[in-house]
Amino acid sequence: MNLRPALVLLAGACLALSACKREPSPSAGPEIPKDETADQFIARVNEEYRELYPEVTAAQWLSSTYIGDDSQLLAAKANERWLTRLNGWIEQARRFEGREMSPETARAIHLLKLKTAMPAPRDAQKLAELTRIATRLEGMYGAGSACTGEGPARRCRQLGELEDVLRTSRDYDEQLDAWQGWHGVAGPMRQDYSRFVELVNEGARDMGFADAGEMWRSGYDMSPVELAAETDRLWGQVKPLYEQLHCYARTRLEARYPGRGSVDGLLPAHLMGNMWQQDWSNLWDILAPYPNAGSLDVTAALQRQARRTYERRLEALDTLPEPSRLAEEERIAQQAMAATMTRRAEDFYTSLGMPQLPDAFWRKSQLIKPRDRDVVCHASAWPMDLADDVRIKMCIRPNEEDFTTVYHELGHIYYYLAQKALPPLFQEGAHDGFHEAIGDTIVLSMTPSYLASIGLVDAPRQGQDALINSQMRMALAKVAFLPFGLMIDRWRWGVFDGSIAPADYNASWWALKARYQGVAPASPRGEEHFDPGAKYHVPGNTPYTRYFLAHILQFQFYKALCEAAGHDGPLYACSFYGSEEAGRKFWAMLGRGASQPWQDTLEEMTGSRQMDAGAVLEYFAPLQGWLKAQNEGQACGWSDAAADAAGRP
């Protein structure tokens, strides 16, 4: 699953917004009313925000779906105007410091200061430079290709093709070649990224923060120090479960690749079935506990459906088509399959009583990769006008990872729709982890029984073997992700505060991946590389702690919705598909947006004011017990020395 990813606005596209706000100096914007009160100021900002928003999103959408010099110029200029406007609003808000105002207005002013993940310097030239670099970095990622050979023998592969190798091949060298190929794309980003850090840090200081990382950590209704401590506490709750899963996976890989299945006790980065080792679901053929305890191969079922869709189109033709017609029929079949997968996800949300997606969604979303241009395939959800023009941007393929990602992205879409009546400054998640948790809460409800009901797996068998298979299937996505959700921002926090210098970017990246994930490259990765740039959220400047928090919150939400649906039984067996009572509870939470502290919203939803991993451990209790038994006698874990040495020449 591409967690998120997404901005979705909040993950993928929103990042577009979130990362691209700004406002011209007061003289460049509308005239400031004389004797304006704080309440009137926020009312005006909301009105201007709503008016400006579509311009920025439209430019960013074009830049992501028609990558080129022209679209990148338009996006950079739109972002420049937006960030200038945002800076102007923030400067104007200083007039009201220390003055009495309504709690709603005080909250809106606080949120205004945190409206971008890319704080821009006040200096106009530096602001323009920042937007150019940001647009260029995202474009480099979207257009990146790994090329080999020369002349007629030259072959280039983009991310999707390279991911397919990791997903399906079990040839050690073939996987290594694909992994190294994509990571080679990021090297040229290093200089731009270093300058980007300097500029956003200056922007953060202009706003009163020590650096951009401190600003990011200030958006959680708690202090930056408290947020860092809270994530450490939550990681401490789930770390033992992850270590057991890591130990089991390492044992299986060592059996599959004798002598090469681990690197000093760490998992080889290129063997985990995923470019960033954030999701191990593609290793089901290696890691399935009981291969004969029923099929949970969702990818195979989706690929069969896709083939049937294509074959039916060919059968309808009167004559043997030319190659160009065959290619067009294949594309039409791909689009139809992507739409089928998306409508299946929509059906889950509507079964809860939520509305059908607007017509604009189906007309304007990018569901598959175009053949005629470069696009950013990283999945994201986009609220284009703060109303009914909502879209997703994906390059959907018929596999389980993309299938669950569609459910995830629609979670963002329904969040946008639920809060469209709120003032624009409150149209956010309760915090950004909430936004990322919505769709994944639905994914937890995709039990074997649900998947069987939609024809993607066999009727679920009963018994311990089938239960462990089901739990493992979910753990390879959910538990495997947890340390990855932490380490990216641990790296960026260090980059922003200067404790990680540009000369140590790559070494520090691999040290953190080793420390948190227990993962290492098969061979040294020196500073000639910039491996952080191979993950979209780094060049795309999307904060990542949200995804870690989402993987905790989604289990809390899931438990609360199962209770609302009247589920009676173990937590892992619950699917609230079709429960309008669960849907009402969910929709009410979505409709709150960021209008109140997240602790209040969480309490309304779950009865608790604290994020807690107890529901994660309750859900996976059978698997954790099984893993401990399987790992008995194994030397689980990895040494600090191995972590410190990971990736170094």
Side-chain angles (χ1 to χ4, degrees):
M1 59 189 185
N2 260 341
L3 278 303
R4 330 86 234 27
L7 158 118
V8 334
L9 231 121
L10 249 35
C14 201
L15 106 85
L17 283 196
S18 239
C20 309
K21 301 328 197 197
R22 67 65 172 7
E23 135 145 3
S25 60
S27 61
E31 183 178 351
I32 302 172
K34 185 178 181 181
D35 299 326
E36 186 177 47
T37 67
D39 290 348
Q40 290 169 338
F41 166 68
I42 286 300
R44 174 171 62 83
V45 169
N46 274 316
E47 183 179 349
E48 294 174 9
Y49 185 112
R50 191 183 295 278
E51 180 182 350
L52 290 169
Y53 191 95
E55 175 193 350
V56 182
T57 50
Q60 199 72 24
W61 177 266
L62 288 174
S63 179
S64 293
T65 58
Y66 289 81
I67 295 175
D69 292 343
D70 293 337
S71 63
Q72 289 186 12
L73 174 62
L74 292 174
K77 287 299 183 182
N79 292 342
E80 183 182 338
R81 288 191 296 275
W82 180 263
L83 286 172
T84 304
R85 178 63 61 85
L86 179 61
N87 279 353
W89 287 331
I90 293 171
E91 184 62 29
Q92 294 166 30
R94 297 180 190 275
R95 295 174 292 159
F96 306 107
E97 292 177 357
R99 293 168 58 178
E100 288 190 10
M101 63 188 75
S102 68
E104 293 79 9
T105 293
R107 181 167 183 81
I109 289 177
H110 173 70
L111 293 174
L112 177 65
K113 295 177 180 178
L114 301 172
K115 243 332 174 185
T116 177
M118 192 174 75
R122 294 177 187 171
D123 180 274
Q125 290 186 338
K126 290 180 179 179
L127 188 152
E129 181 186 6
L130 175 62
T131 60
R132 290 195 301 270
I133 291 175
T135 302
R136 186 162 62 241
L137 283 169
E138 187 164 4
M140 290 171 71
Y141 185 94
S145 293
C147 300
T148 57
E150 299 293 338
R154 185 171 175 80
R155 182 194 178 199
C156 294
R157 294 180 292 175
Q158 291 194 311
L159 178 58
E161 294 175 83
L162 298 168
E163 286 185 296
D164 283 340
V165 173
L166 300 187
R167 179 179 293 111
T168 61
S169 175
R170 294 298 173 256
D171 181 278
Y172 183 97
D173 293 326
E174 188 175 28
Q175 292 176 85
L176 181 60
D177 178 67
W179 185 90
Q180 290 178 336
W182 178 249
H183 282 71
V185 166
M189 299 178 188
R190 175 188 279 264
Q191 184 174 351
D192 268 345
Y193 189 77
S194 179
R195 178 58 176 161
F196 176 88
V197 169
E198 293 175 356
L199 292 170
V200 294
N201 271 345
E202 181 175 336
R205 288 192 296 271
D206 285 347
M207 293 170 60
F209 299 98
D211 57 67
E214 182 182 81
M215 178 183 168
W216 286 7
R217 297 191 297 277
S218 297
Y220 293 91
D221 294 307
M222 57 176 61
S223 73
V225 172
E226 289 172 329
L227 185 276
E230 180 71 351
T231 54
D232 285 340
R233 181 185 67 81
L234 294 169
W235 171 236
Q237 286 185 277
V238 295
K239 183 179 179 182
L241 173 59
Y242 177 79
E243 289 178 337
Q244 290 294 325
L245 183 65
H246 180 284
C247 190
Y248 171 79
R250 185 179 64 195
T251 300
R252 289 293 185 101
L253 286 172
E254 287 173 340
R256 178 65 177 80
Y257 303 97
R260 298 192 292 179
S262 64
V263 181
D264 296 328
L266 306 174
L267 301 173
H270 68 290
L271 295 182
M272 302 312 298
N274 175 272
M275 193 63 74
W276 310 280
Q277 310 82 52
Q278 68 184 64
D279 185 325
W280 305 348
S281 300
N282 293 323
L283 296 188
W284 182 252
D285 57 309
I286 295 175
L287 301 180
Y290 300 104
N292 298 318
S295 172
L296 289 175
D297 193 345
V298 172
T299 294
L302 290 169
Q303 290 175 344
R304 286 194 297 270
Q305 288 185 20
R307 283 196 298 272
R308 286 198 298 270
T309 300
Y310 178 53
E311 290 166 357
R312 282 195 295 268
R313 293 200 61 83
L314 294 185
E315 290 169 0
L317 299 177
D318 295 332
T319 60
L320 183 65
E322 296 293 325
S324 59
R325 179 66 183 276
L326 278 175
E328 181 60 23
E329 291 297 328
E330 182 178 16
R331 175 173 171 75
I332 293 172
Q334 290 171 351
Q335 179 74 24
M337 185 63 195
T340 295
M341 292 165 65
T342 307
R343 289 193 181 277
R344 175 55 66 188
E346 178 195 32
D347 172 71
F348 199 117
Y349 290 88
T350 58
S351 83
L352 303 178
M354 297 185 190
Q356 291 186 324
L357 295 170
D359 290 342
F361 175 90
W362 299 105
R363 288 187 286 106
K364 298 180 178 181
S365 290
Q366 174 192 292
L367 298 183
I368 64 173
K369 188 179 187 305
R371 291 185 300 174
D372 61 344
R373 62 186 187 271
D374 289 327
V375 300
V376 177
C377 279
H378 181 85
S380 54
W382 298 61
M384 301 298 294
D385 61 357
L386 301 177
D388 290 319
D389 187 353
V390 290
R391 312 174 191 175
I392 63 172
K393 173 185 62 59
M394 290 186 65
C395 300
I396 298 173
R397 292 159 295 177
N399 59 63
E400 181 177 10
E401 185 174 1
D402 283 8
F403 188 52
T404 57
T405 298
V406 174
Y407 282 70
H408 171 90
E409 298 303 334
L410 291 196
H412 293 293
I413 294 296
Y414 277 99
Y415 215 156
Y416 303 146
L417 293 174
Q419 60 189 224
K420 66 183 182 181
L422 292 174
L425 289 176
F426 288 159
Q427 289 193 35
E428 299 283 359
H431 67 52
D432 55 13
F434 276 65
H435 230 302
E436 297 302 330
I438 303 308
D440 282 355
T441 301
I442 301 294
V443 171
L444 288 173
S445 208
M446 295 168 66
T447 61
S449 294
Y450 169 76
L451 293 172
S453 74
I454 60 175
L456 291 182
V457 301
D458 297 338
R461 298 187 184 183
Q462 303 301 314
Q464 183 71 5
D465 291 1
L467 169 60
I468 296 303
N469 270 4
S470 175
Q471 291 246 298
M472 181 64 75
R473 169 185 164 271
M474 195 63 78
L476 294 179
K478 303 297 185 182
V479 178
F481 178 84
L482 289 165
F484 184 75
L486 274 182
M487 62 80 40
I488 288 185
D489 276 356
R490 290 299 196 272
W491 181 80
R492 283 191 292 198
W493 293 350
V495 168
F496 289 139
D497 70 20
S499 60
I500 296 176
D504 298 318
Y505 277 173
N506 227 47
S508 298
W509 175 262
W510 284 107
L512 286 167
K513 283 185 72 69
R515 184 167 296 114
Y516 282 101
Q517 288 183 276
V519 165
S523 58
R525 303 286 295 178
E527 294 302 328
E528 70 275 19
H529 302 290
F530 182 57
D531 293 330
K535 177 62 178 171
Y536 170 78
H537 300 75
V538 175
N541 193 50
T542 308
Y544 214 82
T545 300
R546 59 182 63 172
Y547 298 106
F548 172 77
L549 296 176
H551 275 66
I552 303 298
L553 286 169
Q554 64 191 249
F555 285 87
Q556 287 185 268
F557 295 166
Y558 172 67
K559 183 174 182 177
L561 294 176
C562 287
E563 291 172 352
H567 173 70
D568 182 18
L571 182 58
Y572 56 75
C574 166
S575 178
F576 51 78
Y577 175 80
S579 171
E580 293 193 1
E581 185 58 37
R584 279 190 289 271
K585 191 177 188 72
F586 214 4
W587 190 253
M589 185 188 80
L590 301 184
R592 291 288 192 185
S595 64
Q596 62 185 17
W598 66 262
Q599 293 90 340
D600 294 342
T601 302
L602 182 64
E603 185 175 26
E604 292 173 2
M605 176 71 166
T606 70
S608 172
R609 297 182 62 80
Q610 184 179 51
M611 293 181 285
D612 185 75
V616 178
L617 301 178
E618 178 184 349
Y619 182 97
F620 286 113
L623 179 66
Q624 187 165 14
W626 183 86
L627 286 170
K628 287 180 179 178
Q630 295 296 307
N631 294 332
E632 188 174 359
Q634 296 288 332
C636 293
W638 52 94
S639 70
D640 290 341
D644 290 340
R648 291 184 181 275

